[in-house]
Each structure stands twice: as C-alpha cells, then as structure tokens.
Amino acid sequence: MNAHQKVLIVDFGSQVTQLIARRLREANVFCEIHPFEKAGAALAAMAPQAIILSGGPASTTEAESPRADPALFAAGVPILGICYGEQAICAQLGGKVESGHHREFGRAEMVITRDSPLFAGIGAVDHREPVWMSHGDRVTVIPEGFEVIATSEGAPFAAIADETRRIYGVQFHPEVMHTPRGATILKNFTHGVAGLTGDWTMAAYRDEQVAKIRAQVGDAKVICGLSGGVDSSVAAVLIHEAIGDQLTCVFVDTGLLRKDEAKQVTALFREHYNIPLVHVDASAEFLGTLAGISDPETKRKTIGRVFIKVFDREAAKIEGAQFLAQGTLYPDVIESVSATGGPSAVIKSHHNVGGLPDYMKLKLVEPLRELFKDEVRALGRELGLSDAFVGRHPFPGPGLAIRIPGEITPDAVAALQEADAIYLDEIRKAGLYDDIWQAFAVLLPVKTVGVMGDARTYEKVLALRAVTSTDGMTADFFQFPWDVLARTATRIINEVRGVNRVVYDVTSKPPGTIEWE
C-alpha cells in the first residue's frame, strides 16, 4: 500500500461507483473501491483519511439489504453517503427510510437550506442547484445529530450533515456528469471536510512503480504480452525503465488488428525504444480457429484461448522468464469482482485478472492495475510517449472480431481494416480526432441492393460510430459535420470492395453502462 492520503469507497453495487473514483482521481486523491462486505478489512489495511459510501440497487427497508460495517462509523474519519449510502447512514444510525414515496429519477433541483462546507463555492442558502437523482426509497427521519442542508421536490432530505462527526449524506449523485458541479461537491468533501491535499501525481506514481517492479522482479526475466494498444505499451515502457533488457515483449499478431498496426508496433518498440521484441504472426491460426463462429462471446473466449496458447508457446522459448507483465487497469480489477465480492460472470478475455492458467508457471506484474484509462495516458506522457500514440482511441482486446457481427472471414477482416483506416484518416484530416473519444467501423451482417454506375449491387452495409466521453463510462454520439461524413462514405464505397452502403450510428451511452462493444 502506498503512503499517499487515501479514500475508501465502499461499493453497494451502483453501476456508477467507478465514477466516484474517477472524480477523486481528477482531484489528485488516491482512492480504492471495495465491496461492502469487505469494507472492514479494507479499512484496516488502508487506514483511509475519508470514506465514501456508494449508491446501490437494493432497498434498506429489506431485511437482507447491504449494510455498512459498523467499524466505518467508529473510525472517526469523515464519511459521505451517496444515494443508497445516505439511506444506509440513516437506517443504521437511528433514522428511517421508507418505500412507496415519491420517486426521483433524472434531473432535479436541489435547494440549499443551510450553510455547509460540502457546498462551499456552490451557493448560499436558497440557492437552486441542478443535480441527478436516481432513487425509489426516501429518507423520512434523519438520525439524531443530523441536520438538513438541502432539499428537493422528491427528497426532503436531499442532503444531510452531522458536522460534529463529519458525516454527510446526499440523495443525488455528484459523481455523474449530469450533476454539473458534482466534482466540486466531492472535492469539498475530500479537501475541505477531510483536509486532503491531493498528493497523488503521475510523477510520483512512476517513481513508486519503478521501485516496486525492481523489488518484485529482482534479477529475473519478464515477458510482456504486447497487444499494440496504449495500456500494454505504457506498461512495457515503464517496466523497461525499471529493469532494462530483463524485459522481452511478445507481440502476437492475431490478424484482427487495425491496418498496418503490426508494422507500427514493431517499429516503435524495436527502433525507437530498443526494447527486445518477439513478433509472432499468428493471423492464420486465429482466423482458422474462428472460422464458422458467429456468437460474440464465443469469439471472445476463442480469441482468449488461442492467444494464451500462442503466447505460452513463445514464452517457453525465453529462458529464465519468471514473470508475465500485462496492462491490467483498475476497471478490469473492479469488474472482475462483483459488489458481493465474488467473481463476476464475465472476466475480460484480454486481461487475465482472475489469474493465469495453472500450466503457465509465471507470476504477474501489473504496474497499471491502480489506474484508469486516462491516467494511463498521463503516465505514458510522463514516460515520454508521444501524444499521437497515447491519445489513440481505445481498441478492444479481441480486435476487429467483435466489429464483425457474424462469421469472421479473411475478406471481411480486410474490408473492415480498409474501411476503418479510411474513416480515421478522414477524421484526422478534418482535425476532429482529439474531439472524439472513440470512433470505429462495424461491418454488419446485412446486405442491401444498390446501384453503382450502371450495375446493380448486392453488398454489405458498414456502420460508422463515434462518441464523445470524459470517462469512457457515459457517452453521447459525436455530431459529425455532414461534409466529413459524406467524404468518408464516398471513399469507403469507392475504395472498399463488398460495401455499397454506409450508415452512421447515433446511439448514446447512458449512465451506468460500462463495457464498450
């Protein structure tokens, strides 16, 4: 455990608990998320300076609903309960929560009724502030020692405070972007109430991880499974800084990468960073194994199985290797454990968060497992990687296989690679790449009749998608200038064989959904 000031986030199962951590990290506060039934152990291990109780789908009116460990209230550190977290505070400290009252879902207005450090810089008494509500139960009695500091139409106890014990509760969600000044409220809690200084920086993280890697690895050799993406690349550069040529990167070309990506990766690591790299072209093996498979989850598992097989085969050739490095991120770690503490139903196939197969006698090195995606990018810049590289749009671990609904064929992969390259090229030419969080093409398993020149065609439809996001957890579709879409569609139809129609997807991603594609 590092020596930074810390906040413990207790997860009651909210779909947006990760956003709490994101907002705190943005304020340079180190935090960890732990499921509610493990909160007591986490409290003892972390010795946090503050505690946040998340929202959740349960009702405190039910006998078996989750509860906060009593040790949290006895710790003597500031506590903030959010939504279900506020209701848990009230239910456990002598207040009352009831079901069947007026529900609030979506945008609402909170009215500040009392001065509080929680609302510093937000507004004075009677100020009306937009917030995001998502609750069916309602607090009807607050515990002794608490006072109401804000109300809303559907929640007479929209925010409560026991200033003496420094325990606060808010019925709304300050962590979501739909509460415009929610980040300020959270910072008021961490910096104002808890007195944290925000001492967690990428420079400090880099130094700490270099020392940690050296201590963990010693003089042993490390193999890094390099995918070509930002995560594994940053991990490789960081580990190489720590142990030099004790690191060997193994880059498995699945044949499902973006156009020319294999050439770019090998050039970057061999020529620019001079990191030992083994390039394995296993595209025929992957495409052959995937032949005839259409189900998306079966594709993922198949790709994961073949990847481990190929990687293990190559790793066996590296004498003295004892460690495997991979770019596991904090969301991967969180998603591998459910809010009830057990393994989730689906562990991401491109990161072995749950551990490696028994036959792989390697120990894991995961220097990014405490970081979110944008923090990895910040670390990459700290390590000297170019903005053009670390700012690349996210790319799924299974590659283009999940952007081809239906059967994977070499022709389909080639068509999608070409279309995707054209799409990104036009986005860059228009100066829009950095305004978009993720853009990609999908080759749909749908054919349409069209006319090209003087001939009828019966070819596939290609869908284009682009979204904006600040956290990768909620998003809205990017509002493309029509001239850019028109140029892109024209080029794809003219240059990509097998496609005669291009459509643009305007689906948004609401709060609470986590995985892409």
mmCIF file with all atom_site columns, all heavy atoms in Angstrom, residues 261-281:
data_model
loop_
_atom_site.group_PDB
_atom_site.id
_atom_site.type_symbol
_atom_site.label_atom_id
_atom_site.label_alt_id
_atom_site.label_comp_id
_atom_site.label_asym_id
_atom_site.label_entity_id
_atom_site.label_seq_id
_atom_site.pdbx_PDB_ins_code
_atom_site.Cartn_x
_atom_site.Cartn_y
_atom_site.Cartn_z
_atom_site.occupancy
_atom_site.B_iso_or_equiv
_atom_site.pdbx_formal_charge
_atom_site.auth_seq_id
_atom_site.auth_comp_id
_atom_site.auth_asym_id
_atom_site.auth_atom_id
_atom_site.pdbx_PDB_model_num
ATOM 1   N N   . GLU A 1 261 ? -1.079 -1.911  -38.222 1.00 0.00 ? 261 GLU A N   1
ATOM 2   C CA  . GLU A 1 261 ? -0.742 -1.731  -36.808 1.00 0.00 ? 261 GLU A CA  1
ATOM 3   C C   . GLU A 1 261 ? 0.459  -2.575  -36.399 1.00 0.00 ? 261 GLU A C   1
ATOM 4   O O   . GLU A 1 261 ? 1.285  -2.142  -35.589 1.00 0.00 ? 261 GLU A O   1
ATOM 5   C CB  . GLU A 1 261 ? -1.936 -2.053  -35.915 1.00 0.00 ? 261 GLU A CB  1
ATOM 6   C CG  . GLU A 1 261 ? -1.693 -1.701  -34.459 1.00 0.00 ? 261 GLU A CG  1
ATOM 7   C CD  . GLU A 1 261 ? -2.976 -1.550  -33.676 1.00 0.00 ? 261 GLU A CD  1
ATOM 8   O OE1 . GLU A 1 261 ? -3.986 -2.181  -34.048 1.00 0.00 ? 261 GLU A OE1 1
ATOM 9   O OE2 . GLU A 1 261 ? -2.974 -0.800  -32.691 1.00 0.00 ? 261 GLU A OE2 1
ATOM 10  N N   . ALA A 1 262 ? 0.593  -3.775  -36.943 1.00 0.00 ? 262 ALA A N   1
ATOM 11  C CA  . ALA A 1 262 ? 1.726  -4.625  -36.585 1.00 0.00 ? 262 ALA A CA  1
ATOM 12  C C   . ALA A 1 262 ? 3.041  -3.949  -36.963 1.00 0.00 ? 262 ALA A C   1
ATOM 13  O O   . ALA A 1 262 ? 4.010  -3.966  -36.188 1.00 0.00 ? 262 ALA A O   1
ATOM 14  C CB  . ALA A 1 262 ? 1.598  -5.978  -37.275 1.00 0.00 ? 262 ALA A CB  1
ATOM 15  N N   . LYS A 1 263 ? 3.098  -3.323  -38.129 1.00 0.00 ? 263 LYS A N   1
ATOM 16  C CA  . LYS A 1 263 ? 4.318  -2.626  -38.557 1.00 0.00 ? 263 LYS A CA  1
ATOM 17  C C   . LYS A 1 263 ? 4.623  -1.461  -37.617 1.00 0.00 ? 263 LYS A C   1
ATOM 18  O O   . LYS A 1 263 ? 5.788  -1.225  -37.245 1.00 0.00 ? 263 LYS A O   1
ATOM 19  C CB  . LYS A 1 263 ? 4.151  -2.104  -39.985 1.00 0.00 ? 263 LYS A CB  1
ATOM 20  C CG  . LYS A 1 263 ? 3.999  -3.179  -41.041 1.00 0.00 ? 263 LYS A CG  1
ATOM 21  C CD  . LYS A 1 263 ? 3.791  -2.550  -42.415 1.00 0.00 ? 263 LYS A CD  1
ATOM 22  C CE  . LYS A 1 263 ? 3.566  -3.609  -43.480 1.00 0.00 ? 263 LYS A CE  1
ATOM 23  N NZ  . LYS A 1 263 ? 3.293  -2.992  -44.807 1.00 0.00 ? 263 LYS A NZ  1
ATOM 24  N N   . GLN A 1 264 ? 3.591  -0.730  -37.230 1.00 0.00 ? 264 GLN A N   1
ATOM 25  C CA  . GLN A 1 264 ? 3.792  0.435   -36.371 1.00 0.00 ? 264 GLN A CA  1
ATOM 26  C C   . GLN A 1 264 ? 4.308  0.029   -34.997 1.00 0.00 ? 264 GLN A C   1
ATOM 27  O O   . GLN A 1 264 ? 5.202  0.670   -34.432 1.00 0.00 ? 264 GLN A O   1
ATOM 28  C CB  . GLN A 1 264 ? 2.481  1.205   -36.242 1.00 0.00 ? 264 GLN A CB  1
ATOM 29  C CG  . GLN A 1 264 ? 1.989  1.812   -37.547 1.00 0.00 ? 264 GLN A CG  1
ATOM 30  C CD  . GLN A 1 264 ? 0.535  2.255   -37.479 1.00 0.00 ? 264 GLN A CD  1
ATOM 31  O OE1 . GLN A 1 264 ? -0.098 2.192   -36.433 1.00 0.00 ? 264 GLN A OE1 1
ATOM 32  N NE2 . GLN A 1 264 ? 0.000  2.694   -38.606 1.00 0.00 ? 264 GLN A NE2 1
ATOM 33  N N   . VAL A 1 265 ? 3.752  -1.050  -34.457 1.00 0.00 ? 265 VAL A N   1
ATOM 34  C CA  . VAL A 1 265 ? 4.167  -1.502  -33.120 1.00 0.00 ? 265 VAL A CA  1
ATOM 35  C C   . VAL A 1 265 ? 5.612  -1.979  -33.124 1.00 0.00 ? 265 VAL A C   1
ATOM 36  O O   . VAL A 1 265 ? 6.412  -1.600  -32.258 1.00 0.00 ? 265 VAL A O   1
ATOM 37  C CB  . VAL A 1 265 ? 3.229  -2.618  -32.618 1.00 0.00 ? 265 VAL A CB  1
ATOM 38  C CG1 . VAL A 1 265 ? 3.787  -3.259  -31.355 1.00 0.00 ? 265 VAL A CG1 1
ATOM 39  C CG2 . VAL A 1 265 ? 1.840  -2.065  -32.360 1.00 0.00 ? 265 VAL A CG2 1
ATOM 40  N N   . THR A 1 266 ? 5.965  -2.807  -34.086 1.00 0.00 ? 266 THR A N   1
ATOM 41  C CA  . THR A 1 266 ? 7.339  -3.321  -34.132 1.00 0.00 ? 266 THR A CA  1
ATOM 42  C C   . THR A 1 266 ? 8.336  -2.188  -34.348 1.00 0.00 ? 266 THR A C   1
ATOM 43  O O   . THR A 1 266 ? 9.417  -2.187  -33.747 1.00 0.00 ? 266 THR A O   1
ATOM 44  C CB  . THR A 1 266 ? 7.484  -4.380  -35.234 1.00 0.00 ? 266 THR A CB  1
ATOM 45  O OG1 . THR A 1 266 ? 7.008  -3.843  -36.488 1.00 0.00 ? 266 THR A OG1 1
ATOM 46  C CG2 . THR A 1 266 ? 6.678  -5.624  -34.903 1.00 0.00 ? 266 THR A CG2 1
ATOM 47  N N   . ALA A 1 267 ? 7.994  -1.212  -35.157 1.00 0.00 ? 267 ALA A N   1
ATOM 48  C CA  . ALA A 1 267 ? 8.897  -0.082  -35.391 1.00 0.00 ? 267 ALA A CA  1
ATOM 49  C C   . ALA A 1 267 ? 9.076  0.746   -34.126 1.00 0.00 ? 267 ALA A C   1
ATOM 50  O O   . ALA A 1 267 ? 10.197 1.145   -33.776 1.00 0.00 ? 267 ALA A O   1
ATOM 51  C CB  . ALA A 1 267 ? 8.365  0.794   -36.521 1.00 0.00 ? 267 ALA A CB  1
ATOM 52  N N   . LEU A 1 268 ? 7.974  0.981   -33.403 1.00 0.00 ? 268 LEU A N   1
ATOM 53  C CA  . LEU A 1 268 ? 8.037  1.795   -32.189 1.00 0.00 ? 268 LEU A CA  1
ATOM 54  C C   . LEU A 1 268 ? 8.938  1.159   -31.143 1.00 0.00 ? 268 LEU A C   1
ATOM 55  O O   . LEU A 1 268 ? 9.806  1.818   -30.555 1.00 0.00 ? 268 LEU A O   1
ATOM 56  C CB  . LEU A 1 268 ? 6.629  2.001   -31.620 1.00 0.00 ? 268 LEU A CB  1
ATOM 57  C CG  . LEU A 1 268 ? 6.547  2.768   -30.295 1.00 0.00 ? 268 LEU A CG  1
ATOM 58  C CD1 . LEU A 1 268 ? 6.928  4.229   -30.506 1.00 0.00 ? 268 LEU A CD1 1
ATOM 59  C CD2 . LEU A 1 268 ? 5.141  2.666   -29.697 1.00 0.00 ? 268 LEU A CD2 1
ATOM 60  N N   . PHE A 1 269 ? 8.772  -0.141  -30.903 1.00 0.00 ? 269 PHE A N   1
ATOM 61  C CA  . PHE A 1 269 ? 9.492  -0.778  -29.804 1.00 0.00 ? 269 PHE A CA  1
ATOM 62  C C   . PHE A 1 269 ? 10.912 -1.202  -30.184 1.00 0.00 ? 269 PHE A C   1
ATOM 63  O O   . PHE A 1 269 ? 11.817 -1.125  -29.357 1.00 0.00 ? 269 PHE A O   1
ATOM 64  C CB  . PHE A 1 269 ? 8.685  -1.961  -29.265 1.00 0.00 ? 269 PHE A CB  1
ATOM 65  C CG  . PHE A 1 269 ? 7.565  -1.511  -28.387 1.00 0.00 ? 269 PHE A CG  1
ATOM 66  C CD1 . PHE A 1 269 ? 6.343  -1.135  -28.920 1.00 0.00 ? 269 PHE A CD1 1
ATOM 67  C CD2 . PHE A 1 269 ? 7.743  -1.411  -27.017 1.00 0.00 ? 269 PHE A CD2 1
ATOM 68  C CE1 . PHE A 1 269 ? 5.316  -0.680  -28.112 1.00 0.00 ? 269 PHE A CE1 1
ATOM 69  C CE2 . PHE A 1 269 ? 6.721  -0.955  -26.201 1.00 0.00 ? 269 PHE A CE2 1
ATOM 70  C CZ  . PHE A 1 269 ? 5.504  -0.586  -26.747 1.00 0.00 ? 269 PHE A CZ  1
ATOM 71  N N   . ARG A 1 270 ? 11.113 -1.625  -31.420 1.00 0.00 ? 270 ARG A N   1
ATOM 72  C CA  . ARG A 1 270 ? 12.454 -2.051  -31.803 1.00 0.00 ? 270 ARG A CA  1
ATOM 73  C C   . ARG A 1 270 ? 13.360 -0.869  -32.152 1.00 0.00 ? 270 ARG A C   1
ATOM 74  O O   . ARG A 1 270 ? 14.529 -0.834  -31.765 1.00 0.00 ? 270 ARG A O   1
ATOM 75  C CB  . ARG A 1 270 ? 12.370 -3.000  -33.002 1.00 0.00 ? 270 ARG A CB  1
ATOM 76  C CG  . ARG A 1 270 ? 11.914 -4.411  -32.631 1.00 0.00 ? 270 ARG A CG  1
ATOM 77  C CD  . ARG A 1 270 ? 11.796 -5.275  -33.869 1.00 0.00 ? 270 ARG A CD  1
ATOM 78  N NE  . ARG A 1 270 ? 11.447 -6.657  -33.530 1.00 0.00 ? 270 ARG A NE  1
ATOM 79  C CZ  . ARG A 1 270 ? 10.991 -7.545  -34.407 1.00 0.00 ? 270 ARG A CZ  1
ATOM 80  N NH1 . ARG A 1 270 ? 10.827 -7.199  -35.680 1.00 0.00 ? 270 ARG A NH1 1
ATOM 81  N NH2 . ARG A 1 270 ? 10.686 -8.774  -34.024 1.00 0.00 ? 270 ARG A NH2 1
ATOM 82  N N   . GLU A 1 271 ? 12.819 0.103   -32.846 1.00 0.00 ? 271 GLU A N   1
ATOM 83  C CA  . GLU A 1 271 ? 13.650 1.188   -33.351 1.00 0.00 ? 271 GLU A CA  1
ATOM 84  C C   . GLU A 1 271 ? 13.695 2.383   -32.410 1.00 0.00 ? 271 GLU A C   1
ATOM 85  O O   . GLU A 1 271 ? 14.755 2.961   -32.169 1.00 0.00 ? 271 GLU A O   1
ATOM 86  C CB  . GLU A 1 271 ? 13.141 1.618   -34.732 1.00 0.00 ? 271 GLU A CB  1
ATOM 87  C CG  . GLU A 1 271 ? 13.209 0.504   -35.773 1.00 0.00 ? 271 GLU A CG  1
ATOM 88  C CD  . GLU A 1 271 ? 12.498 0.865   -37.069 1.00 0.00 ? 271 GLU A CD  1
ATOM 89  O OE1 . GLU A 1 271 ? 12.228 2.059   -37.287 1.00 0.00 ? 271 GLU A OE1 1
ATOM 90  O OE2 . GLU A 1 271 ? 12.199 -0.062  -37.853 1.00 0.00 ? 271 GLU A OE2 1
ATOM 91  N N   . HIS A 1 272 ? 12.533 2.753   -31.852 1.00 0.00 ? 272 HIS A N   1
ATOM 92  C CA  . HIS A 1 272 ? 12.506 3.960   -31.017 1.00 0.00 ? 272 HIS A CA  1
ATOM 93  C C   . HIS A 1 272 ? 12.943 3.673   -29.586 1.00 0.00 ? 272 HIS A C   1
ATOM 94  O O   . HIS A 1 272 ? 13.745 4.414   -29.014 1.00 0.00 ? 272 HIS A O   1
ATOM 95  C CB  . HIS A 1 272 ? 11.104 4.579   -31.033 1.00 0.00 ? 272 HIS A CB  1
ATOM 96  C CG  . HIS A 1 272 ? 11.026 5.886   -30.312 1.00 0.00 ? 272 HIS A CG  1
ATOM 97  N ND1 . HIS A 1 272 ? 11.507 7.053   -30.852 1.00 0.00 ? 272 HIS A ND1 1
ATOM 98  C CD2 . HIS A 1 272 ? 10.542 6.212   -29.078 1.00 0.00 ? 272 HIS A CD2 1
ATOM 99  C CE1 . HIS A 1 272 ? 11.318 8.047   -29.991 1.00 0.00 ? 272 HIS A CE1 1
ATOM 100 N NE2 . HIS A 1 272 ? 10.737 7.560   -28.911 1.00 0.00 ? 272 HIS A NE2 1
ATOM 101 N N   . TYR A 1 273 ? 12.419 2.590   -28.999 1.00 0.00 ? 273 TYR A N   1
ATOM 102 C CA  . TYR A 1 273 ? 12.718 2.303   -27.595 1.00 0.00 ? 273 TYR A CA  1
ATOM 103 C C   . TYR A 1 273 ? 13.778 1.221   -27.406 1.00 0.00 ? 273 TYR A C   1
ATOM 104 O O   . TYR A 1 273 ? 14.258 1.008   -26.300 1.00 0.00 ? 273 TYR A O   1
ATOM 105 C CB  . TYR A 1 273 ? 11.435 1.905   -26.852 1.00 0.00 ? 273 TYR A CB  1
ATOM 106 C CG  . TYR A 1 273 ? 10.579 3.096   -26.527 1.00 0.00 ? 273 TYR A CG  1
ATOM 107 C CD1 . TYR A 1 273 ? 9.477  3.402   -27.313 1.00 0.00 ? 273 TYR A CD1 1
ATOM 108 C CD2 . TYR A 1 273 ? 10.891 3.930   -25.460 1.00 0.00 ? 273 TYR A CD2 1
ATOM 109 C CE1 . TYR A 1 273 ? 8.701  4.514   -27.036 1.00 0.00 ? 273 TYR A CE1 1
ATOM 110 C CE2 . TYR A 1 273 ? 10.116 5.047   -25.173 1.00 0.00 ? 273 TYR A CE2 1
ATOM 111 C CZ  . TYR A 1 273 ? 9.020  5.333   -25.965 1.00 0.00 ? 273 TYR A CZ  1
ATOM 112 O OH  . TYR A 1 273 ? 8.252  6.428   -25.698 1.00 0.00 ? 273 TYR A OH  1
ATOM 113 N N   . ASN A 1 274 ? 14.126 0.536   -28.480 1.00 0.00 ? 274 ASN A N   1
ATOM 114 C CA  . ASN A 1 274 ? 15.154 -0.512  -28.413 1.00 0.00 ? 274 ASN A CA  1
ATOM 115 C C   . ASN A 1 274 ? 14.826 -1.553  -27.344 1.00 0.00 ? 274 ASN A C   1
ATOM 116 O O   . ASN A 1 274 ? 15.690 -2.025  -26.611 1.00 0.00 ? 274 ASN A O   1
ATOM 117 C CB  . ASN A 1 274 ? 16.533 0.111   -28.147 1.00 0.00 ? 274 ASN A CB  1
ATOM 118 C CG  . ASN A 1 274 ? 17.658 -0.848  -28.514 1.00 0.00 ? 274 ASN A CG  1
ATOM 119 O OD1 . ASN A 1 274 ? 17.521 -1.683  -29.407 1.00 0.00 ? 274 ASN A OD1 1
ATOM 120 N ND2 . ASN A 1 274 ? 18.777 -0.742  -27.798 1.00 0.00 ? 274 ASN A ND2 1
ATOM 121 N N   . ILE A 1 275 ? 13.550 -1.911  -27.264 1.00 0.00 ? 275 ILE A N   1
ATOM 122 C CA  . ILE A 1 275 ? 13.098 -2.929  -26.315 1.00 0.00 ? 275 ILE A CA  1
ATOM 123 C C   . ILE A 1 275 ? 13.068 -4.275  -27.035 1.00 0.00 ? 275 ILE A C   1
ATOM 124 O O   . ILE A 1 275 ? 12.512 -4.377  -28.136 1.00 0.00 ? 275 ILE A O   1
ATOM 125 C CB  . ILE A 1 275 ? 11.694 -2.585  -25.774 1.00 0.00 ? 275 ILE A CB  1
ATOM 126 C CG1 . ILE A 1 275 ? 11.740 -1.269  -24.977 1.00 0.00 ? 275 ILE A CG1 1
ATOM 127 C CG2 . ILE A 1 275 ? 11.162 -3.706  -24.886 1.00 0.00 ? 275 ILE A CG2 1
ATOM 128 C CD1 . ILE A 1 275 ? 10.375 -0.806  -24.488 1.00 0.00 ? 275 ILE A CD1 1
ATOM 129 N N   . PRO A 1 276 ? 13.662 -5.305  -26.466 1.00 0.00 ? 276 PRO A N   1
ATOM 130 C CA  . PRO A 1 276 ? 13.620 -6.629  -27.106 1.00 0.00 ? 276 PRO A CA  1
ATOM 131 C C   . PRO A 1 276 ? 12.181 -7.043  -27.419 1.00 0.00 ? 276 PRO A C   1
ATOM 132 O O   . PRO A 1 276 ? 11.317 -7.020  -26.535 1.00 0.00 ? 276 PRO A O   1
ATOM 133 C CB  . PRO A 1 276 ? 14.253 -7.544  -26.058 1.00 0.00 ? 276 PRO A CB  1
ATOM 134 C CG  . PRO A 1 276 ? 15.148 -6.640  -25.256 1.00 0.00 ? 276 PRO A CG  1
ATOM 135 C CD  . PRO A 1 276 ? 14.425 -5.320  -25.202 1.00 0.00 ? 276 PRO A CD  1
ATOM 136 N N   . LEU A 1 277 ? 11.929 -7.407  -28.660 1.00 0.00 ? 277 LEU A N   1
ATOM 137 C CA  . LEU A 1 277 ? 10.560 -7.702  -29.092 1.00 0.00 ? 277 LEU A CA  1
ATOM 138 C C   . LEU A 1 277 ? 10.531 -8.942  -29.971 1.00 0.00 ? 277 LEU A C   1
ATOM 139 O O   . LEU A 1 277 ? 11.294 -9.051  -30.935 1.00 0.00 ? 277 LEU A O   1
ATOM 140 C CB  . LEU A 1 277 ? 9.982  -6.509  -29.868 1.00 0.00 ? 277 LEU A CB  1
ATOM 141 C CG  . LEU A 1 277 ? 8.612  -6.711  -30.516 1.00 0.00 ? 277 LEU A CG  1
ATOM 142 C CD1 . LEU A 1 277 ? 7.535  -6.831  -29.441 1.00 0.00 ? 277 LEU A CD1 1
ATOM 143 C CD2 . LEU A 1 277 ? 8.286  -5.559  -31.460 1.00 0.00 ? 277 LEU A CD2 1
ATOM 144 N N   . VAL A 1 278 ? 9.654  -9.870  -29.634 1.00 0.00 ? 278 VAL A N   1
ATOM 145 C CA  . VAL A 1 278 ? 9.394  -11.051 -30.464 1.00 0.00 ? 278 VAL A CA  1
ATOM 146 C C   . VAL A 1 278 ? 8.055  -10.824 -31.159 1.00 0.00 ? 278 VAL A C   1
ATOM 147 O O   . VAL A 1 278 ? 7.027  -10.654 -30.494 1.00 0.00 ? 278 VAL A O   1
ATOM 148 C CB  . VAL A 1 278 ? 9.335  -12.331 -29.613 1.00 0.00 ? 278 VAL A CB  1
ATOM 149 C CG1 . VAL A 1 278 ? 8.961  -13.523 -30.495 1.00 0.00 ? 278 VAL A CG1 1
ATOM 150 C CG2 . VAL A 1 278 ? 10.662 -12.570 -28.905 1.00 0.00 ? 278 VAL A CG2 1
ATOM 151 N N   . HIS A 1 279 ? 8.066  -10.787 -32.498 1.00 0.00 ? 279 HIS A N   1
ATOM 152 C CA  . HIS A 1 279 ? 6.842  -10.576 -33.271 1.00 0.00 ? 279 HIS A CA  1
ATOM 153 C C   . HIS A 1 279 ? 6.377  -11.915 -33.828 1.00 0.00 ? 279 HIS A C   1
ATOM 154 O O   . HIS A 1 279 ? 7.080  -12.561 -34.602 1.00 0.00 ? 279 HIS A O   1
ATOM 155 C CB  . HIS A 1 279 ? 7.104  -9.580  -34.404 1.00 0.00 ? 279 HIS A CB  1
ATOM 156 C CG  . HIS A 1 279 ? 5.925  -9.378  -35.298 1.00 0.00 ? 279 HIS A CG  1
ATOM 157 N ND1 . HIS A 1 279 ? 6.031  -8.907  -36.585 1.00 0.00 ? 279 HIS A ND1 1
ATOM 158 C CD2 . HIS A 1 279 ? 4.585  -9.581  -35.091 1.00 0.00 ? 279 HIS A CD2 1
ATOM 159 C CE1 . HIS A 1 279 ? 4.830  -8.837  -37.137 1.00 0.00 ? 279 HIS A CE1 1
ATOM 160 N NE2 . HIS A 1 279 ? 3.943  -9.242  -36.255 1.00 0.00 ? 279 HIS A NE2 1
ATOM 161 N N   . VAL A 1 280 ? 5.194  -12.346 -33.420 1.00 0.00 ? 280 VAL A N   1
ATOM 162 C CA  . VAL A 1 280 ? 4.643  -13.634 -33.848 1.00 0.00 ? 280 VAL A CA  1
ATOM 163 C C   . VAL A 1 280 ? 3.436  -13.380 -34.748 1.00 0.00 ? 280 VAL A C   1
ATOM 164 O O   . VAL A 1 280 ? 2.414  -12.858 -34.299 1.00 0.00 ? 280 VAL A O   1
ATOM 165 C CB  . VAL A 1 280 ? 4.205  -14.480 -32.637 1.00 0.00 ? 280 VAL A CB  1
ATOM 166 C CG1 . VAL A 1 280 ? 3.752  -15.857 -33.104 1.00 0.00 ? 280 VAL A CG1 1
ATOM 167 C CG2 . VAL A 1 280 ? 5.306  -14.585 -31.610 1.00 0.00 ? 280 VAL A CG2 1
ATOM 168 N N   . ASP A 1 281 ? 3.549  -13.738 -35.998 1.00 0.00 ? 281 ASP A N   1
ATOM 169 C CA  . ASP A 1 281 ? 2.406  -13.620 -36.913 1.00 0.00 ? 281 ASP A CA  1
ATOM 170 C C   . ASP A 1 281 ? 1.568  -14.892 -36.806 1.00 0.00 ? 281 ASP A C   1
ATOM 171 O O   . ASP A 1 281 ? 1.882  -15.917 -37.421 1.00 0.00 ? 281 ASP A O   1
ATOM 172 C CB  . ASP A 1 281 ? 2.878  -13.404 -38.349 1.00 0.00 ? 281 ASP A CB  1
ATOM 173 C CG  . ASP A 1 281 ? 1.708  -13.186 -39.309 1.00 0.00 ? 281 ASP A CG  1
ATOM 174 O OD1 . ASP A 1 281 ? 0.538  -13.263 -38.858 1.00 0.00 ? 281 ASP A OD1 1
ATOM 175 O OD2 . ASP A 1 281 ? 1.961  -12.919 -40.498 1.00 0.00 ? 281 ASP A OD2 1
#
